Amino acid sequence: MKTKRTEPHEGSKAQSQRLAAELRREILAGERKAGAKLPTEAELSAQYGLSRPSVREAIAILRSQDLAESRRGSGSYVTAQPRLELRLALPTDSTETVVRMIELRRAVECEATRLAAIRRSTEKLDAMRAASEAVIHAEREGRDGVAEDMLFHRLIAEAADNPYLLQMHEACQSVLLQAMRSTRANERRDPALRDEVHREHRRILLAVSAAEGDWAAGAMAAHLAGAERRLRACAGSIASPASPPFQD
């Protein structure tokens, strides 16, 4: 096997990260199968021209990413179910950046809502209704309702019964929270916008309750289009961390 050498000016940490990235690529590409034993530290050290500590650190990185596991007295192995970690950058104070995130949500949440209409249980539907009502209740008490709104969307993703869709949904929601909290001020100034959100939620619930997948997906698409429209209406407030939250 041909030995791969690293650049001599690279530091130990950079070398470890480079090796971890290469092994990660091979694992995710299926070149190293699930359950297969990884080469020993000595073998990797010789193959890549790295010190043993650098190789050890690279394996530790793979373990932290759930791509490898160590077995006492046996070595390191590719995990049975390697996990691909999704990392999304936080939106900047640019309206267009947040709009791009809404576009991603549209791709994820419309399909999740379609599946939720088909697969949801009675208990999950009741929980969605309760979360939607909780948004209104929070507003009446003078609270922002953002947590309740996020729960409403999460319950829909859960009802889709697809863990991958749920994980994508969680990633989208977490990066959008900052923008949601900033732009909510616009809705507080205009009760008509709050009513618009509630009507959109009710249409989604009606479609999910009727088990109409395409209708439900369309209702979610309309809701997210409304979120984008409301976002653009208050574009100047996105960068203000002191502004009250936005509800989408």
Side-chain angles (χ1 to χ4, degrees), residues 13-228:
K13 183 176 181 180
Q15 292 174 349
S16 298
Q17 292 174 340
R18 182 184 292 272
L19 175 56
E22 172 63 17
L23 293 174
R24 179 176 185 272
R25 183 198 65 75
E26 293 175 357
I27 291 170
L28 295 179
E31 296 174 18
R32 296 186 184 275
K33 303 297 183 182
K37 185 176 181 180
L38 292 173
T40 65
E41 287 183 8
E43 290 169 338
L44 288 172
S45 179
Q47 180 180 349
Y48 289 90
L50 301 179
S51 67
R52 296 280 287 271
S54 293
V55 171
R56 196 172 302 121
E57 175 62 22
I59 299 300
I61 292 173
L62 293 181
R63 288 201 305 270
S64 72
Q65 297 173 346
D66 288 339
L67 294 174
E69 59 184 3
S70 296
R71 301 177 187 174
R72 186 180 298 276
S74 180
S76 297
Y77 293 78
V78 178
T79 53
Q81 292 183 313
R83 184 182 69 182
L84 176 62
E85 182 178 354
L86 176 66
R87 294 185 178 182
L88 298 177
L90 286 171
T92 66
D93 58 2
S94 163
T95 300
E96 291 306 315
T97 300
V98 182
V99 168
R100 294 295 180 266
M101 286 303 308
I102 292 177
E103 291 173 351
L104 175 58
R105 285 185 65 192
R106 189 176 292 120
V108 174
E109 293 198 50
C110 290
E111 177 63 11
T113 308
R114 186 184 72 81
L115 292 175
I118 299 169
R119 299 173 179 174
R120 56 83 181 165
S121 64
T122 300
E123 293 76 15
K124 194 66 71 177
L125 178 60
D126 289 342
M128 291 178 210
R129 288 172 173 151
S132 181
E133 288 298 317
V135 174
I136 299 173
H137 183 68
E139 291 172 349
R140 288 172 179 168
E141 291 188 337
R143 294 183 286 112
D144 54 57
V146 170
E148 292 81 1
D149 186 30
M150 292 184 70
L151 176 61
F152 174 73
H153 284 265
R154 178 186 172 86
L155 288 167
I156 292 173
E158 289 179 359
D161 195 26
N162 184 319
Y164 301 109
L165 277 175
L166 179 59
Q167 290 165 18
M168 282 293 295
H169 162 79
E170 290 173 339
C172 292
Q173 287 290 84
S174 62
V175 298
L176 276 175
L177 182 59
Q178 174 183 331
M180 291 169 67
R181 290 193 175 283
S182 297
T183 55
R184 177 60 167 131
N186 192 59
E187 289 182 4
R188 283 190 168 182
R189 290 191 297 266
D190 189 349
L193 294 181
R194 293 199 304 269
D195 293 341
E196 186 178 274
V197 172
H198 302 325
R199 286 195 299 271
E200 291 166 2
H201 280 188
R202 286 195 293 270
R203 283 195 290 268
I204 292 170
L205 283 170
L206 189 60
V208 172
S209 176
E212 293 286 348
D214 291 341
W215 179 17
M220 179 58 76
H223 177 45
L224 293 174
E228 179 178 340

